[in-house]
Amino acid sequence: PGTIRGEIQFEHMYFWYEDELPVIKDLNLTIQHGETIALVGSTGGGKTTIVNLLCRFYEPKRGRILIGGHDYTDLSLQAIQSRIGVVLQTPHLFSGTIRENIAYGRLKASQQDIEAAAKLVGADHFIQRFEHGYDEQVGEGGVLLSVGQKQLISLARAVLSNPEIFIMDEATSSVDTLTESMIQKGMEAIMQDRTSIIIAHRLSTIKTAHRILVIEDGQIAEMGNHAELLKLKGKYYNLYTR
Ligand code: TTP
Ligand code: MG
C-alpha cells in the first residue's frame, strides 16, 4: 500500500454538461503519487472541468476516476474532499474571520497551526496588516480581498488540511506581482511530496512540473516536460514562444 496513496487514474473518462456537448472525451491518464502535473491549453479546453470532476463536484458520465487505486464513487464525498486540497480559479471565502476561513471546520486546529500554515504560504504578511489580524471579518460585510489574497487564504487552508492531493487553478485575473510571488512560494511549499495538479498560466510554474499536458477540446493534445514539448514545435511551442 502506501506507494499509491496519492495516485490518480482517469480511465476512459467522458463528460458533458447539461447541454450534452462533449467536453471531456476518453481521457486516460495515470498521475503518480508525488508527481506534479501542469495542465495548460487554450480557453474552453476542459481544464477546470477535469478539476470539477476530480473534486467530485460532478461525476464522469462514462469511465471512471480512481484515487489511491479505488474507484472514487466507492468513497464518501467527505473522504474524497479530505484527501484533496483545492484552490479554485475564483476562490470563495465564507462569511467569518480569516482564522475560520483557514481552519475551515477543523475545530482542533490551534492558533499556532493556523498561523504556521499562513506563514508557510506567505499569507501572514497581509493578514497581520488588518486591524483585527486573523480575527478580521471576510466574506459578506467583511473587508474586501483581492483574488490573489483569497487564493493565499485558500493555500493556507490547503496546507493546514495536509491533503494527499493538491489542486490549484491559477487565477487568470490580474494579481499584483508581490502577491503573485507569494502564491508561487506558497505553492512550492505545498507541492513538496504531494500529488499536485496545477492549471498553470505562469511559465515559472509550468517549467518546474514533472509533466505538462496540453488540453485541447477535452483531450490530451501533447504531453511531456518543458524541454520535450518545446522540441516538438507543436501546440505548446506555439503557446509559449509567441
Ligand atoms: P472549462 O473546463 O471551463 O475550460 P478551461 O478551464 O480549459 O478554460 P479556461 O482556460 O478559460 O479556464 O470549459 C470546457 C467547456 O465546458 C467549455 O465549452 C465551457 C463548458 N462549461 C460549462 O458548460 N459549464 C461549466 O460549469 C464549465 C466549468 C464549463
Ligand atoms: Mg478554467
Side-chain angles (χ1 to χ4, degrees), residues 6-48:
E7 185 181 86
I8 300 165
Q9 288 162 280
F10 297 98
E11 286 183 356
H12 298 289
M13 185 174 81
Y14 288 78
F15 184 75
W16 51 86
Y17 290 99
E18 290 72 21
D19 59 11
E20 300 195 355
L21 294 169
V23 177
I24 303 295
K25 302 164 193 168
D26 196 20
L27 182 71
N28 290 287
L29 176 70
T30 298
I31 304 172
Q32 312 288 340
H33 175 81
E35 194 178 12
T36 298
I37 294 282
L39 301 182
V40 302
S42 45
T43 182
K47 304 180 294 296
T48 296

Side-chain angles (χ1 to χ4, degrees), residues 92-200:
H92 180 77
L93 299 182
F94 56 83
S95 294
T97 64
I98 290 178
R99 182 195 313 283
E100 288 163 348
N101 269 278
I102 295 175
Y104 194 60
R106 240 163 233 88
L107 301 173
K108 282 182 286 179
S110 67
Q111 174 61 11
Q112 218 175 1
D113 292 341
I114 291 169
E115 288 190 22
K119 283 203 176 91
L120 190 73
V121 303
D124 183 67
H125 172 78
F126 81 87
I127 297 170
Q128 294 285 7
R129 284 163 57 190
F130 288 124
E131 193 187 341
H132 303 290
Y134 285 82
D135 294 314
E136 193 73 41
Q137 288 283 324
V138 295
E140 222 164 299
V143 287
L144 290 178
L145 298 175
S146 70
V147 171
Q149 289 174 328
K150 287 182 193 168
Q151 285 209 319
L152 282 171
I153 290 175
S154 304
L155 278 171
R157 179 190 291 169
V159 164
L160 189 68
S161 72
N162 191 26
E164 289 165 18
I165 297 163
F166 170 64
I167 303 174
M168 169 110 190
D169 203 343
E170 284 183 350
T172 35
S173 54
S174 63
V175 171
D176 67 81
T177 47
L178 176 65
T179 307
E180 183 166 321
S181 73
M182 292 293 185
I183 291 173
Q184 185 67 35
K185 279 202 212 139
M187 286 169 64
E188 281 163 16
I190 300 181
M191 286 177 341
Q192 286 289 334
D193 249 11
R194 241 181 271 275
T195 308
S196 306
I197 299 176
I198 315 296
I199 298 182

